[in-house]
Amino acid sequence: SPGSRSVYVRIARPDNLILTHGRSDEYVVKVQGVDLQYSTMQSVNYDGSAMDLCLNYNIYSKDSLLKGTYVVSVYADGREIGQTSFVLK
């Protein structure tokens, strides 16, 4: 249904470490009863139709990046709504 929503993006490095700017509860979202760390989030006003959304995650240290496959998961309303991956060479 239409209304304000929070969209969360979780980026997992090849070693399964979640990219986040903090390890506190401030960067945790509950998904199907499980607390998950997230990388970034954005509040949106959902009108009930498909919409384009772009969220950014800033890397502050190149040391935190590894070569390999990263998995990106997107969550809203307490459930996963999308997933993709990309490779850093």
Side-chain angles (χ1 to χ4, degrees), residues 25-83:
D25 288 345
E26 180 181 353
Y27 292 94
V28 171
V29 62
K30 191 169 289 291
V31 177
Q32 296 180 332
V34 177
D35 289 340
L36 297 178
Q37 285 186 315
Y38 66 87
S39 304
T40 188
M41 68 84 64
Q42 182 174 332
S43 294
V44 298
N45 188 16
Y46 178 62
D47 66 4
S49 62
M51 60 188 299
D52 291 327
L53 185 62
C54 181
L55 282 79
N56 295 312
Y57 180 80
N58 294 319
I59 300 294
Y60 294 117
S61 170
K62 290 182 181 178
D63 295 335
S64 66
L65 296 179
L66 303 173
K67 292 179 180 179
T69 302
Y70 286 70
V71 176
V72 180
S73 302
V74 183
Y75 302 94
D77 296 331
R79 61 187 179 95
E80 185 177 63
I81 61 171
Q83 187 179 90

